Amino acid sequence: MTLNDLINKHCLIGLSYFNLKGDLLKQSQLCGKVVTVDSEEGISIELLPRPGAETKVPIFKLPPNLIAWFTAPKGTYSDSETGSSLTDPDYLVTWDIHQTKDDTAEGEHEWWEWIPRTEPPQVGQ
């Protein structure tokens, strides 16, 4: 698989955020369609809109690493952020995102390290 193979494919994204101590801060699940790919800028995903919403659909960027992309089993998945659902996505994508700096002043950039999960996600177990 190449980055270009992802164009127009639908994916379910699982994100787990951790603090400096390794404690889980939050988890989120997003879904959408890959609209652009770039080996330096990353993979741009047009997120599914909220049901009934008429607002501009946000773009979410993932690192350009394919190791975290796995063929998705058939099924209907929900986007916890928007309440949208996606039936039979092409891929499941999972990343762990670790905080790397603790002393960031309010309003300043926070630093996070994105680590791809290399094991296929367990679905329905």
Side-chain angles (χ1 to χ4, degrees):
M1 175 171 54
T2 68
L3 284 174
N4 286 330
D5 294 333
L6 298 178
I7 299 290
N8 293 319
K9 300 294 184 184
H10 288 87
C11 61
L12 179 72
I13 306 163
L15 304 172
S16 298
Y17 294 84
F18 298 90
N19 65 15
L20 285 172
K21 297 177 187 174
D23 300 324
L24 181 65
L25 296 172
K26 80 172 195 171
Q27 290 182 307
S28 64
Q29 186 169 290
L30 309 169
C31 50
K33 179 176 79 169
V34 177
V35 290
T36 62
V37 295
D38 183 279
S39 61
E40 291 187 28
E41 295 293 320
I43 301 166
S44 297
I45 296 147
E46 182 178 81
L47 298 180
L48 295 180
R50 290 186 185 277
E54 295 183 25
T55 59
K56 185 177 182 211
V57 179
I59 299 293
F60 188 83
K61 283 210 177 195
L62 288 174
N65 187 332
L66 296 175
I67 198 165
W69 290 71
F70 298 93
T71 301
K74 300 275 187 213
T76 300
Y77 301 87
S78 296
D79 181 327
S80 62
E81 301 290 315
T82 67
S84 298
S85 64
L86 178 62
T87 300
D88 298 337
D90 300 293
Y91 295 100
L92 299 179
V93 186
T94 53
W95 286 86
D96 289 339
I97 305 163
H98 292 263
Q99 187 178 24
T100 60
K101 190 175 177 185
D102 195 26
D103 58 349
T104 304
E106 187 172 331
E108 287 187 21
H109 182 76
E110 291 189 39
W111 294 97
W112 300 87
E113 178 182 12
W114 288 63
I115 301 172
R117 288 201 182 173
T118 58
E119 295 291 323
Q122 300 298 310
V123 177
Q125 296 182 4

